Amino acid sequence: MDIATNPQHSRKATLLTAGIALLVAFVLLMAYQFVSGRRQLLEELHTEASIIGANSSAALVFNDEKAAREILSAIEMTPRILNAALYRADGTLLVSQGDVRGVFPRHISAYDPTTAYGTGWERFLSKTISQEVIQDGTPVGTLLLHVTNRSLYRHMIEYAVGVILIGALALLITSHFTAGLRKRMAHTEGQLHQMALYDRVTGLPNRRFFEHELESAVGRVKREGKCGALLFIDVDDFKKVNDLCGHQAGDEVLQMIAERLRHSIRSADMIARVGGDEFAAILYGVGGPENAAKVAAHMISAMREPFPTEPIPSHVGLSIGLAMMPNDGEDPDTLLRWSDMAMYVAKSHGKNRYQFFSEDINRKVRSELELEGGLRKALQDRNDELWVAYQPQLSAKTRELVGVEALMRWTMANGTIVSPGEFIPVAEKSGLIVDLGQWLLNRICTDLAEMRAQGLDIPKVAVNVSPRELTRGNIVVEQIRQTIEQHGEREERFQFELTESTLMNESGSQVLNALRQAGFTLAIDDFGSGYSSLGYLKRFDVSTLKIDRQFIQHLPADTENAAIVTAVIQMSKALGIAVIAEGVETEAQADFLASSGCDYLQGFLLSRPVSTRDLIAYATARTESALPVGA
Ligand code: C2E
Ligand code: CA
Ligand code: CA
């Protein structure tokens, strides 16, 4: 991932450009210094020459050699003038001064400035200035001065050294500051990099990084002909940790989980946090599924030790879905989807376990998703695909209609009937059950009103409630009450059917008490198929118990079941709880149940679940047949 550029490279580039810029500035500065220094020097020398010339005009006019020598001797005070010579107007030398060494000829016409003073350094460093001496407007002679440029060059060298020193110092200072700046920039860059690719809480790679890694993993596995694995890891019940111990502790637990997970894999493998309580791992070269399974099992057992939190230690489990590379898929999206599905199956099989992806899972999940989509649509459209069937509940003794059980039905647009056994679990998993329950209650109320308008007043309706509907707490009870009130129905008419496991559930039991207090009655559904404890029937003030169909099925021949059913009926009587037998299909079953003291019967023998129209017809037929002959 090319998120940061090469800092070494950019540093070199900036240094080079700064160096070139400095060099150009230096050269320009030196050239300017040289030109202006030289001009100033020449101006000064010309001024000096004209002064000496003016002073020596009298000596020239009078051909006074002594006076001329005296004047020229003054140049000894000026170190940059090396020699001087004064020529008469006819060009002959009057006098010369300094270490002449034959630099000045006897006659000025023999003077050639291009060859004077030899060649090379000497000439480079010196110069001859010629000044005509004028007296009253008439030239009276010429003054030649041999001067040195040394001072200019010395000045230039000093200047250059000064500039270089200052430049170096400036460079040093700026590089010191830019180094600090660069360090800070690199640090910030690093932080940005960290934030973009790593999770803040656990320090593990984040989803973005993980997806990138997965993409290259797929390629690598294929190229090297090895076997890899993708693990999708979901922390079970992590919400509990947050709710119980707070978010701060939740974060700490996540860190510890991350740490334990990191220790479960090899350093070449990768583990990432891809969601709130979701992690994912890529295992390279695992050899085969057995080894991937070992890693998954190791991860699960690594969570066994509780996490130290306040007020109580936290226990968490893991649900892990596995997909194998390249066998299960060759692109990251597919692999992620498969491992996610497998995780979902692991969770639905009771959590804290791992599950490999399989084609079966794919088919199952796909059809569940389709079902969920269809159900959602049916709920939204209110197009009568969903309706309620009512199954009569009759008195075992008199066969009078005492109530009905409401059972949901879904007839799809294409005519397919989906059984509640199929769509209720999907609705529960997806959370649709909440809306569905709300819809159901409304529909029951309108059905009751419609049947009443047609002369059938149903004394009692049993409504099935999923545990999932109760997790929202007392809001549910309030909603139920409001719906029923809106329709002008009475609470006593409604009986809620719950399974034993719902009673055992903490949040479920609270809602049950609230339901009871609101005036509804409760029935235990499928009794005998679960915990079968009569103790809490009393605790929750349950009014009715429904014996599960599996105990009724083989009555009365199956003596064992007959004994169980009789015992349950007797105990319920002792507790003041009414008993309904479900799934009554034969007269023999009905007879046995009636003679054993069972209160009510429900089953295909008496009626299948039917539409409101059929229910009215059924009830009418029963009352008519019950009427005394001739009436
Ligand atoms: P359940 O509550 O135990 O409902 C009784 C089931 O047994 C019904 O199946 C009913 O049609 C069937 N049944 C009744 N008499 C007989 C019989 O004599 N023989 C046989 N073999 N079966 C009989 P159904 O309607 O398919 O419902 C299946 C399950 O779906 C229900 O079991 C209940 O758990 C759930 N369910 C149905 N409607 C709803 C609903 O509105 N809400 C919720 N939460 N669950 C529902
Ligand atoms: Ca039921
Ligand atoms: Ca049942």
Side-chain angles (χ1 to χ4, degrees):
M1 205 168 254
D2 196 15
I3 275 172
T5 50
N6 186 348
Q8 207 62 28
H9 192 263
S10 70
R11 204 195 144 113
K12 264 189 194 153
T14 39
L15 265 175
L16 194 70
T17 30
I20 290 172
L22 272 175
L23 195 68
V24 170
F26 178 73
V27 168
L28 288 176
L29 205 62
M30 291 308 288
Y32 172 76
Q33 272 298 317
F34 181 74
V35 170
S36 69
R38 205 176 115 93
R39 196 177 50 223
Q40 199 189 344
L41 182 71
L42 285 177
E43 272 169 15
E44 281 171 18
L45 286 170
H46 277 292
T47 314
E48 271 176 64
S50 61
I51 293 168
I52 299 169
N55 286 346
S56 52
S57 62
L60 274 169
V61 170
F62 298 107
N63 204 18
D64 185 347
E65 206 181 308
K66 193 171 164 254
R69 197 174 303 283
E70 243 165 60
I71 290 162
L72 288 195
S73 69
I75 63 159
E76 275 171 10
M77 310 286 286
T78 318
R80 56 185 163 198
I81 300 175
L82 300 173
N83 318 305
L86 205 53
Y87 292 85
R88 297 185 190 90
D90 63 359
T92 56
L93 182 68
L94 173 65
V95 69
S96 65
Q97 167 73 33
D99 178 17
V100 185
R101 277 182 288 165
V103 288
F104 291 132
R106 303 295 316 158
H107 202 278
I108 197 160
S109 60
Y111 173 68
D112 177 6
T114 60
T115 58
Y117 322 119
T119 51
W121 271 114
E122 196 127 296
R123 221 167 94 198
F124 180 70
L125 291 174
S126 60
K127 185 172 171 59
T128 305
I129 290 172
S130 140
Q131 174 76 40
E132 208 168 40
V133 183
I134 292 168
Q135 171 76 27
D136 299 331
T138 320
V140 292
T142 304
L143 171 70
L144 284 188
L145 290 179
H146 178 211
V147 298
T148 174
N149 273 344
R150 255 177 228 277
S151 67
L152 175 64
Y153 291 117
R154 195 181 319 116
H155 171 73
M156 289 299 296
I157 289 168
E158 279 169 9
Y159 188 76
V161 169
V163 167
I164 289 171
L165 279 179
I166 290 171
L169 191 70
L171 208 67
L172 213 74
I173 291 170
T174 42
S175 86
H176 174 76
F177 278 108
T178 51
L181 189 68
R182 198 171 291 115
K183 222 184 216 166
R184 279 207 301 280
M185 267 165 62
H187 181 68
T188 314
E189 243 173 43
Q191 276 181 325
L192 285 172
H193 176 81
Q194 184 82 11
M195 257 156 66
L197 299 179
Y198 290 88
D199 166 49
R200 194 181 43 80
V201 176
T202 59
L204 291 181
N206 63 13
R207 188 172 194 110
R208 187 167 154 225
F209 193 175
F210 181 78
E211 281 171 359
H212 176 83
E213 180 73 15
L214 183 59
E215 193 150 333
S216 60
V218 171
R220 208 174 118 187
V221 161
K222 225 189 302 183
R223 236 181 4 259
E224 295 173 3
K226 285 191 178 148
C227 174
L230 170 61
L231 276 68
F232 202 98
I233 306 154
D234 190 280
V235 182
D236 298 328
D237 305 316
F238 184 71
K239 200 178 161 293
K240 269 193 206 153
V241 180
N242 269 338
D243 290 351
L244 233 69
C245 312
H247 283 265
Q248 174 73 33
D251 281 359
E252 282 163 18
V253 171
L254 277 175
Q255 279 159 12
M256 291 184 268
I257 292 174
E259 201 46 42
R260 293 188 194 179
L261 286 176
R262 214 192 325 241
H263 279 115
S264 309
I265 57 166
R266 292 181 304 185
S267 58
D269 300 337
M270 185 203 218
I271 181 104
R273 184 180 176 210
V274 294
D277 55 359
E278 288 169 348
F279 296 84
I282 299 169
L283 311 181
Y284 288 104
V286 279
E290 12 9 283
N291 289 334
K294 266 186 209 152
V295 175
H298 188 227
M299 284 176 170
I300 289 168
S301 64
M303 300 297 138
R304 221 169 268 152
E305 183 80 18
F307 295 91
T309 46
E310 294 293 333
I312 47 158
S314 297
H315 293 263
V316 300
L318 301 177
S319 293
I320 303 177
L322 294 106
M324 298 305 294
M325 299 184 254
N327 279 7
D328 288 335
E330 294 198 346
D331 68 288
D333 282 350
T334 312
L335 283 164
L336 265 175
R337 222 174 52 237
W338 288 172
S339 60
D340 186 30
M341 274 185 191
M343 183 279 291
Y344 180 68
V345 172
K347 215 163 246 285
S348 69
H349 283 175
K351 301 178 180 174
N352 211 27
R353 61 183 65 215
Y354 63 85
Q355 171 75 48
F356 279 96
F357 166 77
S358 69
E359 262 314 309
D360 266 2
I361 289 180
N362 185 18
R363 259 195 304 279
K364 189 165 167 278
V365 174
R366 206 172 286 240
S367 70
E368 273 188 14
L369 285 177
E370 271 166 27
L371 221 58
E372 186 194 321
L375 191 58
R376 199 178 290 274
K377 196 167 174 306
L379 250 176
Q380 264 166 13
D381 295 356
R382 311 259 146 161
N383 54 7
D384 288 339
E385 278 188 30
L386 286 169
W387 56 283
V388 183
Y390 298 92
Q391 188 174 32
Q393 295 176 334
L394 308 185
S395 153
K397 276 205 195 84
T398 66
R399 302 268 171 114
E400 256 179 314
L401 182 73
V402 291
V404 292
E405 177 177 3
L407 294 157
M408 236 188 276
R409 293 290 176 262
W410 180 15
T411 313
M412 287 169 115
N414 61 10
T416 317
I417 296 174
V418 189
S419 88
E422 229 178 303
F423 71 81
I424 294 287
V426 172
E428 282 181 332
K429 249 186 242 174
S430 62
L432 267 179
I433 192 77
V434 174
D435 288 344
L436 207 58
Q438 187 72 22
W439 170 87
L440 172 75
L441 212 59
N442 265 303
R443 182 59 180 262
I444 291 172
C445 289
T446 48
D447 283 350
L448 283 179
E450 195 187 300
M451 287 190 282
R452 199 176 300 127
Q454 294 183 48
L456 179 61
D457 193 23
I458 307 281
K460 190 193 86 188
V461 185
V463 183
N464 292 285
V465 179
S466 296
R468 181 67 203 268
E469 287 177 77
L470 303 182
T471 52
R472 288 186 310 141
N474 291 355
I475 311 169
V476 189
V477 183
E478 195 39 44
Q479 256 174 14
I480 292 173
R481 251 179 26 78
Q482 272 178 14
T483 309
I484 285 169
E485 243 158 52
Q486 274 164 16
H487 288 272
E489 291 291 345
R490 280 177 294 124
E491 274 84 2
E492 313 85 80
R493 218 184 263 270
F494 291 84
Q495 180 165 80
F496 290 102
E497 291 194 1
L498 306 127
T499 56
E500 291 166 281
S501 56
T502 313
L503 284 187
M504 304 284 285
N505 183 301
E506 189 66 37
S507 64
S509 63
Q510 274 179 17
V511 183
L512 293 191
N513 279 327
L515 278 172
R516 273 295 300 125
Q517 266 153 29
F520 299 106
T521 58
L522 303 179
I524 298 298
D525 206 352
D526 306 339
F527 187 81
S529 65
Y531 303 89
S532 313
S533 155
L534 288 163
Y536 51 83
L537 297 186
K538 200 72 213 136
R539 211 171 94 213
F540 291 106
D541 195 11
V542 169
S543 63
T544 309
L545 185 150
K546 297 186 81 172
I547 303 178
D548 193 68
R549 190 164 63 91
Q550 67 179 11
F551 297 101
I552 311 298
Q553 234 170 358
H554 306 294
L555 291 182
D558 188 325
T559 49
E560 205 178 317
N561 276 342
I564 292 172
V565 169
T566 320
V568 169
I569 293 170
Q570 278 166 7
M571 273 192 289
S572 302
K573 291 243 124 133
L575 290 168
I577 293 171
V579 180
I580 302 183
E582 296 193 277
V584 181
E585 293 181 355
T586 65
E587 283 294 350
Q589 288 166 354
D591 285 347
F592 175 84
L593 288 162
S595 62
S596 307
C598 178
D599 302 285
Y600 310 110
L601 308 177
Q602 182 184 344
F604 292 172
L605 169 72
L606 308 151
S607 169
R608 288 184 173 259
V610 291
S611 66
T612 49
R613 212 186 59 203
D614 291 349
L615 186 63
I616 292 169
Y618 175 83
T620 316
R622 291 198 79 75
T623 37
E624 273 166 9
S625 69
L627 285 176
V629 181

